[in-house]
């Protein structure tokens, strides 16, 4: 059994959470250009409004803080009231604070997990009942290759993204027989405001527009596992199947951050 993709994004009702910058903004632009009806969410309303004014096809601006369950619920209700539902939830939003054992901070870790793992769960909980009732729809969540296995400077970010992988895998099991598609998106390094803070050379760095192209192609094709750029994500997939002594040796040797 294969899950559905999209023959075309034209007139599809798409809710993008995390559209005010970076990968989410690039996806919003690409999907609008492809003729979709796009609702955009994030906290920074002025950035969303500027995006709405610069692109045709953005029909709804719905500011939300993804850590606030009531805000997410009312955002979905507002969109459903306008459109009668959505065809694709594209959850892109995420936060990254470099954390190692020597600067580990529980409050920062809690905020990271709240935004990156509980955030998508909140959004999925809103859209699932309608998608299950209609036996249609798509849920796409941006995780990260940092969720594959433990990496330096990711003491909260890594676990939050590892949780996304498990969440998507389990959703896929449950939703495939129901006609609802799940797309797990694992980017490598993408040049955005989030990575501008990195003080090391990022291997296989791509642009946000290239990331959006990969994401749209993967969703169109009905793929579950969308990862890119392959030269980097494929290498990390290989690393995670190694026995731990070899894995840690590779990471110490090659991941110098
Ligand atoms: N860039 C990379 O190299 C890379 C690699 C792997 C995975 N990723 C993942 O890709 C996704 C997008 O990251 P990016 O690089 O494009 O970063 P970005 O430019 O910083 O974008 C992050 C987006 O998340 C939104 N956001 C953050 N906290 C939020 C909250 N509490 N409520 C609502 N929206 C929130 C931000 O909007 P507001 O601030 O306006 O709320 C913004 O739209 C993230 O999930 C990230 O973990 C990025």
């Amino acid at each position: 059994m294969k899950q559905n993709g999209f023959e075309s994004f034209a007139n599809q009702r798409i809710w993008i959470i995390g559209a005010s910058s970076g990968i989410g903004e690039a996806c919003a632009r690409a999907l609008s250009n492809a003729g979709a009806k796009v609702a955009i969410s994030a906290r920074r309303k002025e950035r969303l409004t500027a995006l709405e004014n610069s692109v045709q096809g953005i029909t709804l601006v719905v500011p939300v803080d993804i850590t606030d369950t009531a805000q997410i619920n009312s955002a979905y209700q507002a969109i459903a009231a306008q459109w009668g539902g959505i065809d694709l939830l594209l959850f892109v939003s995420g936060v990254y604070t470099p954390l190692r054992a020597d600067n580990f901070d529980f409050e920062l870790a809690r905020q990271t997990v709240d935004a990156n793992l509980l955030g998508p769960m909140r959004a999925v909980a809103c859209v699932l009942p309608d998608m299950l009732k209609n036996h249609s729809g798509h849920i796409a969540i941006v995780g990260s290759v940092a969720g594959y296995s433990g990496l330096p400077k990711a003491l909260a970010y890594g676990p939050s993204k590892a949780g996304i992988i498990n969440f998507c895998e389990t959703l896929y099991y449950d939703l495939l027989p129901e006609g609802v598609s799940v797309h797990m998106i694992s980017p490598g390094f993408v040049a955005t405001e989030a990575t501008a803070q990195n003080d090391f050379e990022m291997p296989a760095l791509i642009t946000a527009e290239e990331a959006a192209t990969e994401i749209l192609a993967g969703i169109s094709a009905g793929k579950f596992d969308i990862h890119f750029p392959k030269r980097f994500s494929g290498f990390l997939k290989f690393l995670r199947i190694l026995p731990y002594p070899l894995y840690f040796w590779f990471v110490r040797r090659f991941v110098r951050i």
Side-chain angles (χ1 to χ4, degrees):
M1 196 191 258
K2 189 179 176 301
Q3 65 176 7
N4 295 324
F6 285 95
E7 276 180 24
S8 158
F9 287 112
N11 296 317
Q12 299 296 323
R13 302 161 301 174
I14 298 173
W15 183 19
I16 307 177
I17 301 179
S20 61
S21 59
I23 298 170
E25 179 182 346
C27 287
R29 290 183 186 281
L31 285 163
S32 305
N33 289 337
K37 292 163 74 174
V38 183
I40 50 173
S41 292
R43 291 166 301 183
R44 288 170 295 175
K45 189 178 178 196
E46 67 291 352
R47 294 283 290 256
L48 297 174
T49 307
L51 177 60
E52 179 194 27
N53 292 336
S54 69
V55 185
Q56 278 197 338
I58 306 258
T59 47
L60 291 172
V61 171
V62 193
V64 291
D65 182 336
I66 192 60
T67 63
D68 185 322
T69 307
Q71 282 189 32
I72 274 291
N73 288 340
S74 51
Y76 179 63
Q77 277 158 20
I79 294 168
Q82 290 281 329
W83 290 349
I86 60 168
D87 301 299
L88 167 64
L89 166 68
L90 176 52
F91 192 99
V92 190
S93 163
V95 293
Y96 169 65
T97 307
L99 280 180
R100 288 184 190 266
D102 60 5
N103 70 341
F104 189 65
D105 177 317
F106 173 74
E107 184 49 27
L108 281 174
R110 192 195 61 74
Q111 289 168 12
T112 303
V113 172
D114 198 3
N116 293 3
L117 179 58
L118 298 182
M121 288 180 169
R122 285 186 185 95
V124 167
C126 286
V127 304
L128 259 184
D130 285 341
M131 288 187 178
L132 282 171
K133 190 172 71 190
N134 299 327
H135 295 285
S136 73
H138 295 251
I139 294 171
I141 303 177
V142 175
S144 169
V145 295
Y148 288 171
S149 46
L151 290 171
K153 282 195 179 175
L155 207 42
Y157 183 76
S160 74
K161 295 297 188 176
I164 287 298
I165 293 174
N166 199 297
F167 183 55
C168 288
E169 290 168 349
T170 309
L171 266 183
Y172 178 83
Y173 276 128
D174 287 351
L175 295 181
L176 185 64
E178 302 296 332
V180 179
S181 301
V182 178
H183 310 278
M184 177 179 74
I185 300 162
S186 307
F189 286 111
V190 183
T192 65
E193 289 170 23
T195 48
Q197 64 179 317
N198 288 347
D199 55 2
F200 55 89
E201 195 179 325
M202 292 174 271
L205 183 70
I206 61 171
T207 64
E209 289 69 30
E210 288 170 315
T213 301
E214 294 276 2
I215 290 169
L216 268 56
I219 294 174
S220 295
K223 281 190 187 166
F224 168 70
D225 186 13
I226 301 170
H227 61 98
F228 55 83
K230 297 277 189 305
R231 61 191 186 279
F232 186 61
S233 53
F235 178 62
L236 288 175
K237 271 178 181 282
F238 161 71
L239 283 190
R240 75 172 169 173
I241 60 168
L242 294 176
Y244 277 128
L246 258 182
Y247 171 76
F248 288 125
W249 182 83
F250 258 102
V251 174
R252 277 191 201 290
R253 177 90 175 69
F254 293 108
V255 189
R256 295 213 182 110
I257 61 177

